[in-house]
Amino acid sequence: MAVAADPSPRFAAFAHPERLVSTDWLQQHLGEPGLVVVESDEDVLLYETGHIPTAVKVDWHTDLNDPVVRDYISGEQFAALASSKGISRDSTVVVYGDKNNWWAAYALWVFTLFGHTDVRLLDGGRDAWIAEGRAVTTDETEVAPASYPVVDRDDAAIRAFKDDVLDHFGSPLIDVRSPEEFSGERTTAPAYPEEGALRAGHIPTAQNVPWARAAAADGRFREVEELNEIYRQGAGLADGDAIIAYCRIGERSSHTWFVLTHLLGFEGVRNYDGSWTEWGSAVRVPITTGAEPGEAPAR
Amino acid sequence: MGHNFTDMDATELPDSLAEIRDDFLGLEVKERLQLLLEFSNELPELPERYRDHPDLFERVEECQSPIFIVVEVDGEGSVHLFATAPPEAPTTRGFASILVQGIEGLSASQVLELADDYPSMLGLTAAVSPLRIRGMTAMLARIKRQVRERTA
């Protein structure tokens, strides 16, 4: 039972406006049957300090990642997680989070791996909601557990692995990390912990478009004209391109995946979640340093 | 017999830090997050002399959120730790608060002898992830370095 899409004119120019909701829309629809609000933050405790009423928490690290293998959870684990959060297969899920929805977009992407049809982002995320003085609560959300079916994760459409990237040269790659990580001055985002890549630089031919450029100063997504300026004119993406985006562990590039797929309407965009922590430690994969994209390696 | 096995660490922890560890380990994993949140809320305000003096603080670069620390060693050789982090970073605040409370008043040598992996003794690894715990380990390393500098 899907909840009606947000008809805000602000979203109308996007390829898939039904993927965004405004803070006004969410306020009006809170508590509506069929709607589940999910908070997903970088900080594992932020939800506990106060969340949107009725929201449940999904943590990117402890809920969505397999605890042993570097992979996402299985269909069984996802079914158990979703059920415990009151999410049914036909629920409208609205995800929001801190830092321009960085981790919220990651959660949305993982939900998409399981083919959850109706999953949307709250434009502006947690910060926009709080900046507008809207209600937050520390009350524990009472969840009526649902019965989510076991659905096999389908990685093929939106997830790229290292070998896919090696076969991808000639098609566009978008590196969404900071310019310092791209050029090879450092392997981690400024002020972020070392996550263990042995080499610095970028995948040859990748265009550097730091993920947060897609967000305006207030944390909301930029208008479609500005996004086209950044990704089509700036990074040279064109309709029909097969695109792979990557970052360090695949979280920042989930945000860009959302922008390219749902806001600009590119088809077949994949997120390489192995990203730099895999590529920068893999043996004999090609790497380019410096600010320029570099040449595709000879086959 | 069982008594001999209550101290699991190779090195003795000062009472303050041992108590904090035991408090965490005595809880279910989910409740440990709540306790971390309580610590987060208890992080003391900076004393007057440190407000408006960001130059005196060291940034813990390994933490995902901005956290700044400064260590004092007083005339008696006791260590005092001050830390500041924004409310939007409750996990980092919680880590800092544990160390502020646990270290307060210890001698410099007690601080230097603390187990470097104290953060992983709190049973928080499953609840907050190893990646996040790493920030607290780095914080402790920086505290020790400052103590060394102040007592050199």
Side-chain angles (χ1 to χ4, degrees), chain B residues 44-79:
Chain B
E45 293 275 320
L46 291 180
E48 194 68 47
R49 63 186 183 283
Y50 283 124
R51 286 175 212 160
D52 311 317
H53 275 291
D55 50 304
L56 298 175
F57 282 79
E58 171 179 351
R59 175 163 184 164
V60 182
E61 300 280 354
E62 295 85 352
C63 281
Q64 302 199 343
S65 304
I67 162 98
F68 299 85
I69 56 165
V70 64
V71 169
E72 273 180 11
V73 181
D74 66 21
E76 265 84 66
S78 299
V79 175

PDB file of all heavy atoms in Angstrom, chain B residues 44-79:
ATOM      1  N   PRO B  44      31.445  17.059  30.254  1.00  0.00           N
ATOM      2  CA  PRO B  44      31.374  18.370  30.912  1.00  0.00           C
ATOM      3  C   PRO B  44      31.663  19.521  29.942  1.00  0.00           C
ATOM      4  O   PRO B  44      32.407  19.355  28.981  1.00  0.00           O
ATOM      5  CB  PRO B  44      32.469  18.301  31.984  1.00  0.00           C
ATOM      6  CG  PRO B  44      32.964  16.908  32.011  1.00  0.00           C
ATOM      7  CD  PRO B  44      32.573  16.256  30.739  1.00  0.00           C
ATOM      8  N   GLU B  45      31.038  20.642  30.226  1.00  0.00           N
ATOM      9  CA  GLU B  45      31.376  21.877  29.511  1.00  0.00           C
ATOM     10  C   GLU B  45      32.843  22.203  29.770  1.00  0.00           C
ATOM     11  O   GLU B  45      33.384  21.860  30.818  1.00  0.00           O
ATOM     12  CB  GLU B  45      30.531  23.041  30.061  1.00  0.00           C
ATOM     13  CG  GLU B  45      29.056  22.938  29.772  1.00  0.00           C
ATOM     14  CD  GLU B  45      28.718  23.501  28.410  1.00  0.00           C
ATOM     15  OE1 GLU B  45      29.293  24.541  28.037  1.00  0.00           O
ATOM     16  OE2 GLU B  45      27.891  22.878  27.722  1.00  0.00           O
ATOM     17  N   LEU B  46      33.456  22.892  28.841  1.00  0.00           N
ATOM     18  CA  LEU B  46      34.843  23.301  29.069  1.00  0.00           C
ATOM     19  C   LEU B  46      34.894  24.337  30.177  1.00  0.00           C
ATOM     20  O   LEU B  46      34.004  25.180  30.282  1.00  0.00           O
ATOM     21  CB  LEU B  46      35.414  23.912  27.798  1.00  0.00           C
ATOM     22  CG  LEU B  46      35.636  22.952  26.635  1.00  0.00           C
ATOM     23  CD1 LEU B  46      36.197  23.722  25.444  1.00  0.00           C
ATOM     24  CD2 LEU B  46      36.569  21.816  27.019  1.00  0.00           C
ATOM     25  N   PRO B  47      35.925  24.294  31.019  1.00  0.00           N
ATOM     26  CA  PRO B  47      36.074  25.353  32.018  1.00  0.00           C
ATOM     27  C   PRO B  47      36.335  26.693  31.322  1.00  0.00           C
ATOM     28  O   PRO B  47      36.824  26.728  30.195  1.00  0.00           O
ATOM     29  CB  PRO B  47      37.275  24.904  32.847  1.00  0.00           C
ATOM     30  CG  PRO B  47      37.980  23.874  32.047  1.00  0.00           C
ATOM     31  CD  PRO B  47      36.984  23.285  31.104  1.00  0.00           C
ATOM     32  N   GLU B  48      35.994  27.734  32.062  1.00  0.00           N
ATOM     33  CA  GLU B  48      36.090  29.108  31.545  1.00  0.00           C
ATOM     34  C   GLU B  48      37.393  29.359  30.776  1.00  0.00           C
ATOM     35  O   GLU B  48      37.398  29.913  29.683  1.00  0.00           O
ATOM     36  CB  GLU B  48      36.003  30.072  32.738  1.00  0.00           C
ATOM     37  CG  GLU B  48      35.753  31.519  32.358  1.00  0.00           C
ATOM     38  CD  GLU B  48      34.353  31.726  31.773  1.00  0.00           C
ATOM     39  OE1 GLU B  48      33.389  31.216  32.368  1.00  0.00           O
ATOM     40  OE2 GLU B  48      34.242  32.396  30.716  1.00  0.00           O
ATOM     41  N   ARG B  49      38.524  28.895  31.370  1.00  0.00           N
ATOM     42  CA  ARG B  49      39.802  29.261  30.796  1.00  0.00           C
ATOM     43  C   ARG B  49      40.059  28.656  29.417  1.00  0.00           C
ATOM     44  O   ARG B  49      40.966  29.057  28.715  1.00  0.00           O
ATOM     45  CB  ARG B  49      40.941  28.875  31.747  1.00  0.00           C
ATOM     46  CG  ARG B  49      41.085  27.384  32.008  1.00  0.00           C
ATOM     47  CD  ARG B  49      42.137  27.118  33.077  1.00  0.00           C
ATOM     48  NE  ARG B  49      42.360  25.698  33.326  1.00  0.00           N
ATOM     49  CZ  ARG B  49      41.546  24.921  34.028  1.00  0.00           C
ATOM     50  NH1 ARG B  49      40.449  25.431  34.572  1.00  0.00           N
ATOM     51  NH2 ARG B  49      41.826  23.638  34.209  1.00  0.00           N
ATOM     52  N   TYR B  50      39.245  27.647  29.058  1.00  0.00           N
ATOM     53  CA  TYR B  50      39.454  27.030  27.752  1.00  0.00           C
ATOM     54  C   TYR B  50      38.431  27.477  26.710  1.00  0.00           C
ATOM     55  O   TYR B  50      38.597  27.202  25.529  1.00  0.00           O
ATOM     56  CB  TYR B  50      39.426  25.507  27.868  1.00  0.00           C
ATOM     57  CG  TYR B  50      40.711  24.951  28.432  1.00  0.00           C
ATOM     58  CD1 TYR B  50      40.705  24.147  29.551  1.00  0.00           C
ATOM     59  CD2 TYR B  50      41.926  25.238  27.822  1.00  0.00           C
ATOM     60  CE1 TYR B  50      41.878  23.629  30.071  1.00  0.00           C
ATOM     61  CE2 TYR B  50      43.110  24.733  28.326  1.00  0.00           C
ATOM     62  CZ  TYR B  50      43.077  23.931  29.453  1.00  0.00           C
ATOM     63  OH  TYR B  50      44.245  23.429  29.953  1.00  0.00           O
ATOM     64  N   ARG B  51      37.365  28.129  27.156  1.00  0.00           N
ATOM     65  CA  ARG B  51      36.388  28.595  26.168  1.00  0.00           C
ATOM     66  C   ARG B  51      37.056  29.665  25.325  1.00  0.00           C
ATOM     67  O   ARG B  51      37.868  30.437  25.801  1.00  0.00           O
ATOM     68  CB  ARG B  51      35.146  29.161  26.874  1.00  0.00           C
ATOM     69  CG  ARG B  51      34.298  28.028  27.444  1.00  0.00           C
ATOM     70  CD  ARG B  51      33.116  28.545  28.252  1.00  0.00           C
ATOM     71  NE  ARG B  51      32.840  27.572  29.319  1.00  0.00           N
ATOM     72  CZ  ARG B  51      32.164  27.838  30.424  1.00  0.00           C
ATOM     73  NH1 ARG B  51      31.698  29.056  30.639  1.00  0.00           N
ATOM     74  NH2 ARG B  51      31.961  26.905  31.319  1.00  0.00           N
ATOM     75  N   ASP B  52      36.728  29.718  24.081  1.00  0.00           N
ATOM     76  CA  ASP B  52      37.322  30.697  23.149  1.00  0.00           C
ATOM     77  C   ASP B  52      38.823  30.526  23.026  1.00  0.00           C
ATOM     78  O   ASP B  52      39.529  31.490  22.744  1.00  0.00           O
ATOM     79  CB  ASP B  52      37.015  32.150  23.593  1.00  0.00           C
ATOM     80  CG  ASP B  52      35.545  32.328  23.900  1.00  0.00           C
ATOM     81  OD1 ASP B  52      34.736  31.809  23.101  1.00  0.00           O
ATOM     82  OD2 ASP B  52      35.205  32.949  24.918  1.00  0.00           O
ATOM     83  N   HIS B  53      39.321  29.337  23.273  1.00  0.00           N
ATOM     84  CA  HIS B  53      40.748  29.092  23.056  1.00  0.00           C
ATOM     85  C   HIS B  53      40.987  27.836  22.231  1.00  0.00           C
ATOM     86  O   HIS B  53      41.670  26.909  22.669  1.00  0.00           O
ATOM     87  CB  HIS B  53      41.502  28.991  24.393  1.00  0.00           C
ATOM     88  CG  HIS B  53      41.899  30.319  24.919  1.00  0.00           C
ATOM     89  ND1 HIS B  53      42.866  31.095  24.314  1.00  0.00           N
ATOM     90  CD2 HIS B  53      41.434  31.031  25.971  1.00  0.00           C
ATOM     91  CE1 HIS B  53      42.988  32.221  24.995  1.00  0.00           C
ATOM     92  NE2 HIS B  53      42.132  32.221  25.995  1.00  0.00           N
ATOM     93  N   PRO B  54      40.416  27.808  21.026  1.00  0.00           N
ATOM     94  CA  PRO B  54      40.588  26.603  20.194  1.00  0.00           C
ATOM     95  C   PRO B  54      42.058  26.310  19.902  1.00  0.00           C
ATOM     96  O   PRO B  54      42.424  25.168  19.633  1.00  0.00           O
ATOM     97  CB  PRO B  54      39.831  26.952  18.901  1.00  0.00           C
ATOM     98  CG  PRO B  54      39.666  28.434  18.914  1.00  0.00           C
ATOM     99  CD  PRO B  54      39.650  28.850  20.350  1.00  0.00           C
ATOM    100  N   ASP B  55      42.902  27.338  19.997  1.00  0.00           N
ATOM    101  CA  ASP B  55      44.335  27.157  19.707  1.00  0.00           C
ATOM    102  C   ASP B  55      45.013  26.205  20.696  1.00  0.00           C
ATOM    103  O   ASP B  55      46.049  25.622  20.397  1.00  0.00           O
ATOM    104  CB  ASP B  55      45.036  28.517  19.734  1.00  0.00           C
ATOM    105  CG  ASP B  55      44.699  29.292  21.005  1.00  0.00           C
ATOM    106  OD1 ASP B  55      43.485  29.496  21.263  1.00  0.00           O
ATOM    107  OD2 ASP B  55      45.623  29.670  21.746  1.00  0.00           O
ATOM    108  N   LEU B  56      44.407  26.049  21.891  1.00  0.00           N
ATOM    109  CA  LEU B  56      45.038  25.198  22.904  1.00  0.00           C
ATOM    110  C   LEU B  56      44.685  23.724  22.716  1.00  0.00           C
ATOM    111  O   LEU B  56      45.233  22.858  23.382  1.00  0.00           O
ATOM    112  CB  LEU B  56      44.602  25.645  24.302  1.00  0.00           C
ATOM    113  CG  LEU B  56      45.013  27.076  24.682  1.00  0.00           C
ATOM    114  CD1 LEU B  56      44.407  27.452  26.037  1.00  0.00           C
ATOM    115  CD2 LEU B  56      46.532  27.207  24.723  1.00  0.00           C
ATOM    116  N   PHE B  57      43.754  23.455  21.800  1.00  0.00           N
ATOM    117  CA  PHE B  57      43.251  22.089  21.665  1.00  0.00           C
ATOM    118  C   PHE B  57      43.856  21.371  20.472  1.00  0.00           C
ATOM    119  O   PHE B  57      44.241  21.983  19.478  1.00  0.00           O
ATOM    120  CB  PHE B  57      41.721  22.116  21.514  1.00  0.00           C
ATOM    121  CG  PHE B  57      41.023  22.326  22.815  1.00  0.00           C
ATOM    122  CD1 PHE B  57      40.934  23.590  23.372  1.00  0.00           C
ATOM    123  CD2 PHE B  57      40.464  21.256  23.487  1.00  0.00           C
ATOM    124  CE1 PHE B  57      40.293  23.790  24.582  1.00  0.00           C
ATOM    125  CE2 PHE B  57      39.826  21.449  24.693  1.00  0.00           C
ATOM    126  CZ  PHE B  57      39.740  22.717  25.247  1.00  0.00           C
ATOM    127  N   GLU B  58      43.910  20.061  20.605  1.00  0.00           N
ATOM    128  CA  GLU B  58      44.402  19.208  19.526  1.00  0.00           C
ATOM    129  C   GLU B  58      43.216  18.481  18.912  1.00  0.00           C
ATOM    130  O   GLU B  58      42.416  17.878  19.616  1.00  0.00           O
ATOM    131  CB  GLU B  58      45.396  18.184  20.094  1.00  0.00           C
ATOM    132  CG  GLU B  58      45.802  17.105  19.109  1.00  0.00           C
ATOM    133  CD  GLU B  58      46.822  16.126  19.704  1.00  0.00           C
ATOM    134  OE1 GLU B  58      47.334  16.398  20.807  1.00  0.00           O
ATOM    135  OE2 GLU B  58      47.088  15.107  19.051  1.00  0.00           O
ATOM    136  N   ARG B  59      43.117  18.497  17.599  1.00  0.00           N
ATOM    137  CA  ARG B  59      42.037  17.767  16.944  1.00  0.00           C
ATOM    138  C   ARG B  59      42.388  16.292  16.816  1.00  0.00           C
ATOM    139  O   ARG B  59      43.490  15.934  16.435  1.00  0.00           O
ATOM    140  CB  ARG B  59      41.766  18.333  15.549  1.00  0.00           C
ATOM    141  CG  ARG B  59      40.732  17.508  14.841  1.00  0.00           C
ATOM    142  CD  ARG B  59      40.096  18.135  13.657  1.00  0.00           C
ATOM    143  NE  ARG B  59      39.074  17.173  13.226  1.00  0.00           N
ATOM    144  CZ  ARG B  59      38.093  17.433  12.418  1.00  0.00           C
ATOM    145  NH1 ARG B  59      37.963  18.624  11.915  1.00  0.00           N
ATOM    146  NH2 ARG B  59      37.215  16.498  12.085  1.00  0.00           N
ATOM    147  N   VAL B  60      41.439  15.433  17.146  1.00  0.00           N
ATOM    148  CA  VAL B  60      41.643  13.997  16.955  1.00  0.00           C
ATOM    149  C   VAL B  60      41.236  13.666  15.523  1.00  0.00           C
ATOM    150  O   VAL B  60      40.065  13.486  15.219  1.00  0.00           O
ATOM    151  CB  VAL B  60      40.828  13.169  17.970  1.00  0.00           C
ATOM    152  CG1 VAL B  60      41.089  11.678  17.786  1.00  0.00           C
ATOM    153  CG2 VAL B  60      41.161  13.582  19.388  1.00  0.00           C
ATOM    154  N   GLU B  61      42.215  13.626  14.649  1.00  0.00           N
ATOM    155  CA  GLU B  61      41.948  13.492  13.210  1.00  0.00           C
ATOM    156  C   GLU B  61      41.290  12.159  12.869  1.00  0.00           C
ATOM    157  O   GLU B  61      40.596  12.046  11.868  1.00  0.00           O
ATOM    158  CB  GLU B  61      43.264  13.596  12.419  1.00  0.00           C
ATOM    159  CG  GLU B  61      44.014  14.896  12.608  1.00  0.00           C
ATOM    160  CD  GLU B  61      43.434  16.013  11.762  1.00  0.00           C
ATOM    161  OE1 GLU B  61      42.531  15.736  10.959  1.00  0.00           O
ATOM    162  OE2 GLU B  61      43.879  17.162  11.918  1.00  0.00           O
ATOM    163  N   GLU B  62      41.537  11.147  13.695  1.00  0.00           N
ATOM    164  CA  GLU B  62      41.043   9.811  13.362  1.00  0.00           C
ATOM    165  C   GLU B  62      39.549   9.666  13.617  1.00  0.00           C
ATOM    166  O   GLU B  62      38.948   8.669  13.232  1.00  0.00           O
ATOM    167  CB  GLU B  62      41.794   8.755  14.178  1.00  0.00           C
ATOM    168  CG  GLU B  62      43.282   8.664  13.859  1.00  0.00           C
ATOM    169  CD  GLU B  62      44.118   9.683  14.639  1.00  0.00           C
ATOM    170  OE1 GLU B  62      43.536  10.556  15.305  1.00  0.00           O
ATOM    171  OE2 GLU B  62      45.359   9.594  14.566  1.00  0.00           O
ATOM    172  N   CYS B  63      38.953  10.635  14.310  1.00  0.00           N
ATOM    173  CA  CYS B  63      37.535  10.531  14.585  1.00  0.00           C
ATOM    174  C   CYS B  63      36.743  11.101  13.419  1.00  0.00           C
ATOM    175  O   CYS B  63      37.155  12.041  12.772  1.00  0.00           O
ATOM    176  CB  CYS B  63      37.165  11.265  15.869  1.00  0.00           C
ATOM    177  SG  CYS B  63      37.572  10.303  17.311  1.00  0.00           S
ATOM    178  N   GLN B  64      35.553  10.506  13.189  1.00  0.00           N
ATOM    179  CA  GLN B  64      34.768  10.932  12.041  1.00  0.00           C
ATOM    180  C   GLN B  64      34.145  12.307  12.272  1.00  0.00           C
ATOM    181  O   GLN B  64      33.777  12.977  11.345  1.00  0.00           O
ATOM    182  CB  GLN B  64      33.682   9.902  11.767  1.00  0.00           C
ATOM    183  CG  GLN B  64      34.299   8.525  11.529  1.00  0.00           C
ATOM    184  CD  GLN B  64      33.374   7.577  10.809  1.00  0.00           C
ATOM    185  OE1 GLN B  64      32.190   7.797  10.754  1.00  0.00           O
ATOM    186  NE2 GLN B  64      33.926   6.531  10.246  1.00  0.00           N
ATOM    187  N   SER B  65      34.017  12.703  13.519  1.00  0.00           N
ATOM    188  CA  SER B  65      33.409  13.997  13.820  1.00  0.00           C
ATOM    189  C   SER B  65      34.425  14.854  14.545  1.00  0.00           C
ATOM    190  O   SER B  65      35.339  14.338  15.173  1.00  0.00           O
ATOM    191  CB  SER B  65      32.182  13.796  14.705  1.00  0.00           C
ATOM    192  OG  SER B  65      31.295  12.913  14.075  1.00  0.00           O
ATOM    193  N   PRO B  66      34.274  16.172  14.458  1.00  0.00           N
ATOM    194  CA  PRO B  66      35.252  17.039  15.100  1.00  0.00           C
ATOM    195  C   PRO B  66      35.263  16.884  16.614  1.00  0.00           C
ATOM    196  O   PRO B  66      34.251  17.075  17.272  1.00  0.00           O
ATOM    197  CB  PRO B  66      34.792  18.450  14.700  1.00  0.00           C
ATOM    198  CG  PRO B  66      33.396  18.301  14.224  1.00  0.00           C
ATOM    199  CD  PRO B  66      33.231  16.899  13.744  1.00  0.00           C
ATOM    200  N   ILE B  67      36.401  16.505  17.140  1.00  0.00           N
ATOM    201  CA  ILE B  67      36.585  16.383  18.583  1.00  0.00           C
ATOM    202  C   ILE B  67      37.951  16.957  18.910  1.00  0.00           C
ATOM    203  O   ILE B  67      38.923  16.699  18.217  1.00  0.00           O
ATOM    204  CB  ILE B  67      36.447  14.912  19.062  1.00  0.00           C
ATOM    205  CG1 ILE B  67      37.055  14.697  20.461  1.00  0.00           C
ATOM    206  CG2 ILE B  67      37.117  13.930  18.127  1.00  0.00           C
ATOM    207  CD1 ILE B  67      36.073  14.717  21.540  1.00  0.00           C
ATOM    208  N   PHE B  68      37.981  17.769  19.938  1.00  0.00           N
ATOM    209  CA  PHE B  68      39.211  18.448  20.313  1.00  0.00           C
ATOM    210  C   PHE B  68      39.524  18.133  21.768  1.00  0.00           C
ATOM    211  O   PHE B  68      38.624  18.128  22.605  1.00  0.00           O
ATOM    212  CB  PHE B  68      39.067  19.961  20.116  1.00  0.00           C
ATOM    213  CG  PHE B  68      38.795  20.337  18.693  1.00  0.00           C
ATOM    214  CD1 PHE B  68      37.499  20.338  18.193  1.00  0.00           C
ATOM    215  CD2 PHE B  68      39.832  20.659  17.832  1.00  0.00           C
ATOM    216  CE1 PHE B  68      37.250  20.667  16.870  1.00  0.00           C
ATOM    217  CE2 PHE B  68      39.598  20.989  16.504  1.00  0.00           C
ATOM    218  CZ  PHE B  68      38.305  20.990  16.025  1.00  0.00           C
ATOM    219  N   ILE B  69      40.801  17.873  22.042  1.00  0.00           N
ATOM    220  CA  ILE B  69      41.180  17.507  23.408  1.00  0.00           C
ATOM    221  C   ILE B  69      42.371  18.336  23.879  1.00  0.00           C
ATOM    222  O   ILE B  69      43.181  18.812  23.073  1.00  0.00           O
ATOM    223  CB  ILE B  69      41.570  16.010  23.518  1.00  0.00           C
ATOM    224  CG1 ILE B  69      42.693  15.668  22.528  1.00  0.00           C
ATOM    225  CG2 ILE B  69      40.373  15.111  23.302  1.00  0.00           C
ATOM    226  CD1 ILE B  69      43.359  14.340  22.816  1.00  0.00           C
ATOM    227  N   VAL B  70      42.447  18.517  25.187  1.00  0.00           N
ATOM    228  CA  VAL B  70      43.646  19.098  25.787  1.00  0.00           C
ATOM    229  C   VAL B  70      43.869  18.423  27.138  1.00  0.00           C
ATOM    230  O   VAL B  70      42.916  18.103  27.853  1.00  0.00           O
ATOM    231  CB  VAL B  70      43.538  20.636  25.922  1.00  0.00           C
ATOM    232  CG1 VAL B  70      42.426  21.031  26.869  1.00  0.00           C
ATOM    233  CG2 VAL B  70      44.874  21.229  26.368  1.00  0.00           C
ATOM    234  N   VAL B  71      45.125  18.138  27.440  1.00  0.00           N
ATOM    235  CA  VAL B  71      45.483  17.443  28.676  1.00  0.00           C
ATOM    236  C   VAL B  71      46.242  18.412  29.578  1.00  0.00           C
ATOM    237  O   VAL B  71      47.111  19.149  29.121  1.00  0.00           O
ATOM    238  CB  VAL B  71      46.374  16.216  28.368  1.00  0.00           C
ATOM    239  CG1 VAL B  71      46.978  15.644  29.641  1.00  0.00           C
ATOM    240  CG2 VAL B  71      45.580  15.152  27.635  1.00  0.00           C
ATOM    241  N   GLU B  72      45.904  18.403  30.865  1.00  0.00           N
ATOM    242  CA  GLU B  72      46.651  19.173  31.855  1.00  0.00           C
ATOM    243  C   GLU B  72      47.283  18.206  32.853  1.00  0.00           C
ATOM    244  O   GLU B  72      46.654  17.224  33.228  1.00  0.00           O
ATOM    245  CB  GLU B  72      45.702  20.063  32.675  1.00  0.00           C
ATOM    246  CG  GLU B  72      45.419  21.406  32.073  1.00  0.00           C
ATOM    247  CD  GLU B  72      44.474  22.210  32.974  1.00  0.00           C
ATOM    248  OE1 GLU B  72      44.222  21.806  34.144  1.00  0.00           O
ATOM    249  OE2 GLU B  72      43.992  23.237  32.503  1.00  0.00           O
ATOM    250  N   VAL B  73      48.496  18.488  33.263  1.00  0.00           N
ATOM    251  CA  VAL B  73      49.084  17.758  34.385  1.00  0.00           C
ATOM    252  C   VAL B  73      49.361  18.813  35.454  1.00  0.00           C
ATOM    253  O   VAL B  73      50.130  19.744  35.227  1.00  0.00           O
ATOM    254  CB  VAL B  73      50.386  17.030  33.984  1.00  0.00           C
ATOM    255  CG1 VAL B  73      50.951  16.250  35.178  1.00  0.00           C
ATOM    256  CG2 VAL B  73      50.126  16.086  32.811  1.00  0.00           C
ATOM    257  N   ASP B  74      48.690  18.672  36.620  1.00  0.00           N
ATOM    258  CA  ASP B  74      48.795  19.743  37.627  1.00  0.00           C
ATOM    259  C   ASP B  74      50.047  19.581  38.491  1.00  0.00           C
ATOM    260  O   ASP B  74      50.838  18.648  38.288  1.00  0.00           O
ATOM    261  CB  ASP B  74      47.514  19.806  38.480  1.00  0.00           C
ATOM    262  CG  ASP B  74      47.320  18.560  39.335  1.00  0.00           C
ATOM    263  OD1 ASP B  74      48.312  17.835  39.602  1.00  0.00           O
ATOM    264  OD2 ASP B  74      46.165  18.305  39.745  1.00  0.00           O
ATOM    265  N   GLY B  75      50.220  20.469  39.469  1.00  0.00           N
ATOM    266  CA  GLY B  75      51.400  20.488  40.327  1.00  0.00           C
ATOM    267  C   GLY B  75      51.624  19.189  41.089  1.00  0.00           C
ATOM    268  O   GLY B  75      52.751  18.810  41.396  1.00  0.00           O
ATOM    269  N   GLU B  76      50.516  18.462  41.380  1.00  0.00           N
ATOM    270  CA  GLU B  76      50.634  17.181  42.092  1.00  0.00           C
ATOM    271  C   GLU B  76      50.913  16.015  41.145  1.00  0.00           C
ATOM    272  O   GLU B  76      50.980  14.871  41.583  1.00  0.00           O
ATOM    273  CB  GLU B  76      49.329  16.881  42.847  1.00  0.00           C
ATOM    274  CG  GLU B  76      49.350  17.332  44.296  1.00  0.00           C
ATOM    275  CD  GLU B  76      48.977  18.801  44.449  1.00  0.00           C
ATOM    276  OE1 GLU B  76      47.812  19.128  44.164  1.00  0.00           O
ATOM    277  OE2 GLU B  76      49.850  19.606  44.798  1.00  0.00           O
ATOM    278  N   GLY B  77      50.997  16.326  39.857  1.00  0.00           N
ATOM    279  CA  GLY B  77      51.227  15.254  38.888  1.00  0.00           C
ATOM    280  C   GLY B  77      49.962  14.529  38.466  1.00  0.00           C
ATOM    281  O   GLY B  77      50.029  13.455  37.881  1.00  0.00           O
ATOM    282  N   SER B  78      48.782  15.111  38.787  1.00  0.00           N
ATOM    283  CA  SER B  78      47.526  14.483  38.383  1.00  0.00           C
ATOM    284  C   SER B  78      47.096  14.978  37.006  1.00  0.00           C
ATOM    285  O   SER B  78      47.278  16.145  36.669  1.00  0.00           O
ATOM    286  CB  SER B  78      46.412  14.807  39.384  1.00  0.00           C
ATOM    287  OG  SER B  78      46.766  14.307  40.647  1.00  0.00           O
ATOM    288  N   VAL B  79      46.488  14.060  36.264  1.00  0.00           N
ATOM    289  CA  VAL B  79      46.096  14.364  34.886  1.00  0.00           C
ATOM    290  C   VAL B  79      44.630  14.800  34.842  1.00  0.00           C
ATOM    291  O   VAL B  79      43.773  14.215  35.507  1.00  0.00           O
ATOM    292  CB  VAL B  79      46.301  13.122  33.990  1.00  0.00           C
ATOM    293  CG1 VAL B  79      45.789  13.382  32.578  1.00  0.00           C
ATOM    294  CG2 VAL B  79      47.777  12.724  33.975  1.00  0.00           C
TER     295      VAL B  79
END
